[in-house]
Amino acid sequence: MAHKVPTGVGRQQGVTFLVIKMPKVKTNSSAKKRFKVTASGQITHQKSHKRHILTKKSKKRKRAMRKDGVVAAPNLFFVQRLLGLK
């Protein structure tokens, strides 16, 4: 919930009014480390399962995991909220 916070008193031609300033929206720290926004606006991420137990995985599978993945449409709005884009 966003609450309006009074930040001070303003004056304009002898009329005093209360200045209301909305709080800043913070970006999720873990999300900004895990996702990147491309120039075209797509959000990319690193593929999973590339850290250990690599001997049983084929070369083709490991090579495919090097490429960045694109966030799927059902998850896009949620990731955008974490990054402060929506």
Side-chain angles (χ1 to χ4, degrees), residues 40-86:
S40 62
Q42 289 184 321
I43 300 175
T44 60
H45 63 86
Q46 291 288 310
K47 299 267 182 87
S48 58
H49 308 295
K50 188 76 170 42
R51 294 291 180 205
H52 58 93
I53 315 175
L54 298 173
T55 52
K56 65 170 80 169
K57 295 171 187 157
S58 68
K59 287 183 180 182
K60 182 178 179 180
R61 187 173 163 192
K62 289 184 278 192
R63 195 165 53 243
M65 286 188 275
R66 284 184 211 150
K67 298 179 181 177
D68 286 346
V70 179
V71 174
N75 302 321
L76 192 58
F77 184 75
F78 181 70
V79 174
Q80 287 173 335
R81 286 279 309 273
L82 290 174
L83 295 173
L85 302 174
K86 287 277 179 188

